[in-house]
Amino acid sequence: DNPSQNETNANETNADNSAQNDSEPVAEKPKEETFGLNETAVFDNIKVTAVDLDETKGESYNTADDGKTFVGVKFEIENVSEETQSISTMLLFTPYADDIKCDESFFGESAFGDDSLGGELSPGKKMVGWYAVEIPEDWQKLELEVKSDWLSDNKAKFVFEK
């Protein structure tokens, strides 16, 4: 049996299915679930929620290149562990625009405001900020793979469609 799509624990693996009487062994692999706006991925150490999605060309000196736009996702990250967590979008987030890998845009993030994601997060505390990419104006789908720890294989995929 496959886990239901409504489960939100991104750390679960297929180990729960090991009691099945299948004749073929089930390969263990990291579990990846898909989330959207206002949905929360729950890891052992952090909760990650996408709370807003916006698009802008920027303004004054801080503009997207011709034919491109800044797309920003505002996230709330909560430390649900007993230890301080280091949050680094460069290590924990991998963006794809229409299935093509792209990069985080610090200019794009500043176009959405001064709230950035990153730094030390004490137990029980939250941080809220923007993660942005600069992608073609005709984008259709933005995917952000988010890991709870840069060494972890467990990830949640946030998917946003234009």
Side-chain angles (χ1 to χ4, degrees):
D1 294 337
N2 290 329
S4 74
Q5 195 66 9
N6 294 333
E7 294 178 24
T8 57
N9 189 332
N11 274 338
E12 291 180 4
T13 64
N14 290 330
D16 294 337
N17 296 334
S18 61
Q20 290 178 302
N21 292 328
D22 290 343
S23 58
E24 296 178 21
V26 176
E28 301 244 351
K29 64 178 186 173
K31 183 173 177 179
E32 182 180 291
E33 292 191 57
T34 302
F35 300 88
L37 202 56
N38 297 312
E39 294 181 339
T40 300
V42 179
F43 295 96
D44 288 339
N45 58 340
I46 60 173
K47 286 181 175 179
V48 181
T49 306
V51 297
D52 197 5
L53 176 71
D54 202 0
E55 184 173 347
T56 182
K57 288 289 289 175
E59 55 185 51
S60 65
Y61 69 93
N62 189 20
T63 59
D65 290 341
D66 286 343
K68 294 197 172 188
T69 187
F70 294 129
V71 177
V73 182
K74 192 172 196 175
F75 281 99
E76 177 182 284
I77 300 175
E78 180 181 0
N79 182 351
V80 294
S81 76
E82 300 294 320
E83 299 175 359
T84 298
Q85 298 294 315
S86 290
I87 306 299
S88 168
T89 54
M90 290 180 66
L91 296 175
L92 302 181
F93 287 55
T94 305
Y96 296 89
D98 298 322
D99 296 324
I100 299 172
K101 188 175 181 311
C102 53
D103 294 313
E104 180 175 12
S105 171
F106 298 107
F107 286 121
E109 288 165 6
S110 65
F112 292 105
D114 293 333
D115 301 329
S116 64
L117 291 169
E120 300 292 312
L121 188 58
S122 297
K125 303 298 182 185
K126 297 178 183 181
M127 68 172 53
V128 178
W130 289 93
Y131 180 87
V133 291
E134 183 177 356
I135 57 178
E137 289 177 322
D138 62 352
W139 70 279
Q140 296 301 308
K141 180 174 69 171
L142 176 64
E143 293 179 44
L144 299 175
E145 292 178 354
V146 179
K147 299 192 299 184
S148 63
D149 181 304
W150 72 281
L151 293 173
S152 174
D153 287 331
N154 289 321
K155 56 189 163 187
K157 184 190 301 181
F158 285 86
V159 179
F160 309 98
E161 295 190 2
K162 195 168 190 175

